[in-house]
């Protein structure tokens, strides 16, 4: 169980990829292509690469976690060749209105953190391009240097996040993520204010497969109070209590 560091302000956790920028930037496509190329570089043909990529993503949450478990893959080499080689600077750009949204979050009331399944350099790079790096207190990321590192939506990941930020009370967590499974998992742990960022109709890539983004629930999905939004500006309406009064 996480312990409070004495700072009793709630934390607003933002997922980074496909949340702070639109899926229309097609960064998940670029990631999927590079991961596919990585599997092919291990000697697999294209069909085998696609099959294994999807299997590891489904089973472990991230292709890399299967690669480190079952193959002799250096996660830092993987990160350099995959996320590290994406020309992010030409794919996403600074959006003044997003910076304004972050500036309007009242820091006397809440703290703001990033919560990503990427490794730290990629997360920092995205935040720098978006000019949000000075408005985010810390980043919880998948630590590729740790053997069998955890990721969303595993409960251990959220516990690790709270521990890192020094927050003990899950009812003080605000969280927005484009992956519904990630927000469902947080909600199940008592994170009280969860929002699904859902750009319905756009395409994203998961486990190497192109998928149309939708807010349909699978039959065994938990029944909860999570709302979905298609624009982060809607957070001003959903969470009015965290913004400065204008
Ligand atoms: Mg995401």
């Amino acid at each position: 169980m996480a312990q409070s560091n004495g700072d009793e302000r709630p934390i607003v956790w933002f997922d980074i990829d496909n949340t702070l920028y639109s899926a229309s930037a097609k960064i998940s496509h670029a990631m999927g292509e590079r991961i596919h190329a990585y599997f092919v570089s291990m000697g697999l043909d294209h069909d085998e690469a696609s099959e294994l990529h999807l299997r590891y993503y489904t089973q472990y949450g991230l292709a890399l976690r299967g690669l480190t478990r079952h193959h002799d893959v250096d996660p830092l080499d993987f990160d350099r060749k995959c996320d590290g080689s994406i020309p992010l600077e030409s794919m996403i750009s600074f959006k003044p209105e997003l910076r304004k949204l972050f500036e309007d979050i009242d820091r006397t009331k809440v703290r703001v953190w990033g919560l990503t399944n990427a490794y730290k350099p990629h997360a920092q790079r995205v935040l720098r391009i978006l000019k949000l790096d000075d408005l985010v207190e810390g980043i919880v990321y998948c630590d590729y240097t740790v053997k069998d590192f955890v990721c969303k939506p595993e409960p251990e990941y959220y516990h690790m996040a709270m521990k890192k930020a020094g927050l003990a009370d899950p009812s003080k967590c605000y969280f927005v993520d484009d992956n519904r499974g990630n927000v469902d998992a947080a909600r199940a742990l008592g994170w009280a204010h969860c929002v699904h960022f859902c750009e319905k109709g756009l395409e994203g890539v998961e486990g190497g497969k192109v998928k149309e983004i939708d807010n349909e629930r699978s039959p065994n999905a938990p029944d909860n109070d999570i709302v979905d939004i298609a624009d982060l500006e809607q957070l001003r309406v959903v969470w009015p209590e965290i913004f400065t009064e204008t």
Side-chain angles (χ1 to χ4, degrees), residues 12 26 48 65 69 79 92 101 106 118 143 191 212 231:
V12 187
K26 294 213 174 338
E48 289 167 340
R65 298 210 315 167
R69 275 170 175 74
D79 188 56
I92 52 174
L101 182 81
D106 186 341
D143 190 349
W191 287 29
E212 186 173 318
D231 185 330

Side-chain angles (χ1 to χ4, degrees), residues 15-19 152 177-179 182:
D15 172 46
I16 295 178
D17 289 301
N18 276 9
T19 294
K152 294 178 280 186
D177 192 305
D178 66 294
N179 183 306
N182 291 347

Side-chain angles (χ1 to χ4, degrees), residues 22 80 100 111 114 133 147 164 178 185 187 208 234-235 243:
S22 170
R80 271 191 300 276
K100 179 82 170 79
R111 300 195 273 153
D133 45 330
K147 188 179 177 328
K164 193 170 173 189
D178 66 294
R187 188 73 194 89
Q234 290 173 264
L235 292 178
F243 289 95

Side-chain angles (χ1 to χ4, degrees), residues 145-173:
T145 63
V146 171
K147 188 179 177 328
D148 298 339
F149 63 85
V150 291
C151 70
K152 294 178 280 186
E154 295 170 328
E156 297 75 23
Y157 183 89
Y158 302 90
H159 294 315
M160 184 257 298
M162 291 180 71
K163 195 168 169 212
K164 193 170 173 189
L167 184 70
D169 180 358
S171 77
K172 289 186 172 179
C173 288

Side-chain angles (χ1 to χ4, degrees), residues 1 12 19 44 46 59 67 84 94 145 164 172 179-180 192 196 206 226 241 245-246:
M1 192 35 100
V12 187
T19 294
L44 278 68
H46 286 287
Q59 197 167 346
L67 287 171
F94 169 55
T145 63
K164 193 170 173 189
K172 289 186 172 179
N179 183 306
R180 179 66 195 236
H196 180 210
E206 284 181 19
I226 290 168
E241 67 279 12
E245 283 157 43
T246 45

